[in-house]
Amino acid sequence: MGRATRQRRIDAQERWPDLYQFLAAYPHRDWPDDSGTSEAAVDLAISEHGLEQRQLLARQWWNWNAAEGSDADPRPAINEGLGVEVGFDTPREGREFMNSVYDKLIVSIRQEVKDWKP
């Protein structure tokens, strides 16, 4: 791991520790064997987290997105920073993955708390 990658990872762990752990622990290098798809890995992660934890994750995602999501190419922030080991071919694929994480979190939260906002 290069110096820039290491620093990006440290920064993400400090700024969004729960989101980092959530993403690094599920869509990691074994997700094809463990879950089949990266989306299924996210679904599994969500199913294993309680309401309060998912609310915290959605808030940290919101903060992450404000800081990193608008980059022309968010893949380094996703892969190197948050530890997601999914090979995105384009910046759009990375952005779509992160948006789907947020959408899945929000849907799961709103099943329990109607009209919840981060």
Side-chain angles (χ1 to χ4, degrees):
M1 180 181 316
R3 185 173 188 215
T5 299
R6 197 171 19 259
Q7 188 60 49
R8 184 173 272 126
R9 179 84 33 103
I10 290 167
D11 291 345
Q13 288 172 331
E14 289 175 359
R15 294 174 74 185
W16 312 289
D18 299 283
L19 183 62
Y20 168 81
Q21 185 61 37
F22 177 81
L23 290 171
Y26 288 86
H28 53 68
R29 74 171 174 225
D30 295 330
W31 65 261
D33 295 330
D34 294 345
S35 303
T37 66
S38 58
E39 291 82 10
V42 172
D43 290 338
L44 176 62
I46 288 171
S47 74
E48 293 183 356
H49 287 76
L51 176 62
E52 289 180 14
Q53 187 67 19
R54 287 180 279 130
Q55 290 170 322
L56 176 63
L57 289 164
R59 287 184 193 103
Q60 286 186 13
W61 182 96
W62 190 262
N63 292 333
W64 174 87
N65 192 57
E68 304 282 353
S70 63
D71 284 355
D73 188 352
R75 292 177 295 177
I78 297 167
N79 297 123
E80 297 169 9
L82 293 173
V84 174
E85 295 193 29
V86 176
F88 304 113
D89 292 327
T90 65
R92 182 179 179 168
E93 286 179 5
R95 192 171 288 106
E96 287 174 351
F97 172 80
M98 288 302 288
N99 288 342
S100 74
V101 169
Y102 182 74
D103 292 345
K104 288 172 181 280
L105 283 166
I106 293 299
V107 166
S108 74
I109 293 166
R110 289 186 179 156
Q111 288 174 345
E112 298 180 53
V113 180
K114 186 178 178 178
D115 299 325
W116 183 84
K117 304 238 188 275

